[in-house]
Amino acid sequence: MIKAVLFDLDGTLADTARDLGAALNRLLAEEGLPPQPYEAIRPLASHGARGLVRLGFGKDIGADRLEALRLRFLDHYEASFADETCLFEGVNTLIDALDGRGLVWGIITNKPMRFTDRLVPALPFSSAPAVTVSGDTVGVAKPDPRPMLHAAQQIGIAPEHCIYVGDAERDIMAGRRVGMKTVLANWGYISDEDRPDEWGADADIDYPLQLLDHI
């Protein structure tokens, strides 16, 4: 029996791509490089700061240079992490339906606490999440299973009674590793190079309320 639904944040509950892209383009401007178009940024927005830096500066960038640029990217993002970010259409309708069924809902994201702790309360969720686990809450991030286990422990519900919804391979991997039912959010940040049909999700959905068909 499903008792809880846990979600990824970026690309699943919230559309954060424009703010992430703006931070990347400010960093590129500092380096005298041309901006990246939104069409290139959106599919990689779930790949974290490193994925976006590689988009702007090349996949072959050295580790030290990558880390230095990642830190500068995060500083730029901190200056405007909620300017254009919004909930995807239908998210609150789904949350209301989950609440109506007496189901717990929460968030497990790879986004650092320095952003999550301020962004989640600022988003217009119709009810507050029962738990929010960030990428550094337990010292490791998805696809490591420990954030999933921590969230389940915090809400007092065994992983096998949870659904995890996300838009990236790491989301499906992490959920499967702890025995959660996994659902792929097709509206999320999925690139042409991704192979979601190979990720092994138990189901995929095209809009938030469709999740109710899998509970």
Side-chain angles (χ1 to χ4, degrees):
M1 177 186 295
I2 298 300
K3 300 179 180 179
V5 180
L6 303 168
F7 297 90
D8 176 48
L9 182 60
D10 297 60
T12 302
L13 293 176
D15 189 356
T16 57
R18 293 192 183 278
D19 285 330
L20 289 164
L24 174 63
N25 284 334
R26 286 194 295 273
L27 178 61
L28 289 168
E30 285 183 350
E31 295 292 316
L33 295 172
Q36 289 289 326
Y38 176 74
E39 292 73 20
I41 290 166
R42 189 187 192 281
L44 296 179
S46 279
H47 290 233
R50 290 181 179 86
L52 289 167
V53 168
R54 288 191 178 100
L55 171 66
F57 292 86
K59 293 181 179 180
D60 297 329
I61 188 171
D64 290 345
R65 174 74 167 151
L66 173 62
E67 180 60 14
L69 289 169
R70 183 187 74 87
L71 294 175
R72 287 170 57 195
F73 167 85
L74 292 176
D75 287 340
H76 279 295
Y77 183 56
E78 186 156 23
S80 57
F81 64 87
D83 284 3
E84 296 190 63
T85 290
C86 60
L87 298 181
F88 283 106
E89 183 177 357
V91 163
N92 273 336
T93 305
L94 173 59
I95 289 172
D96 289 342
L98 297 178
D99 288 341
R101 294 189 181 194
L103 297 173
V104 174
W105 80 275
I107 296 169
I108 308 172
T109 175
N110 277 5
K111 206 177 201 69
M113 284 185 286
R114 65 191 274 200
F115 305 115
T116 309
D117 288 352
R118 289 175 290 164
L119 178 59
V120 170
L123 290 170
F125 289 114
S126 56
S127 67
V131 64
T132 300
V133 177
S134 301
D136 47 359
T137 298
V138 296
V140 291
K142 300 171 295 183
D144 192 286
R146 281 173 281 182
M148 320 300 285
L149 294 171
H150 180 72
Q153 183 181 43
Q154 291 297 110
I155 60 176
I157 297 174
E160 59 266 28
H161 297 304
C162 299
I163 287 178
Y164 188 64
V165 185
D167 68 313
E169 183 177 17
R170 65 178 64 85
D171 298 327
I172 306 306
M173 290 174 62
R176 292 181 63 192
R177 284 173 175 174
V178 298
M180 293 181 182
K181 183 177 180 178
T182 55
V183 176
L184 177 66
N186 286 331
W187 61 84
Y189 304 143
I190 300 172
S191 75
D192 291 340
E193 296 179 2
D194 287 328
R195 296 291 180 265
D197 55 320
E198 300 176 0
W199 297 348
D202 294 298
D204 63 276
I205 56 176
D206 295 322
Y207 55 91
L209 204 60
Q210 194 177 7
L211 180 66
L212 298 180
D213 296 339
H214 302 281
I215 297 176

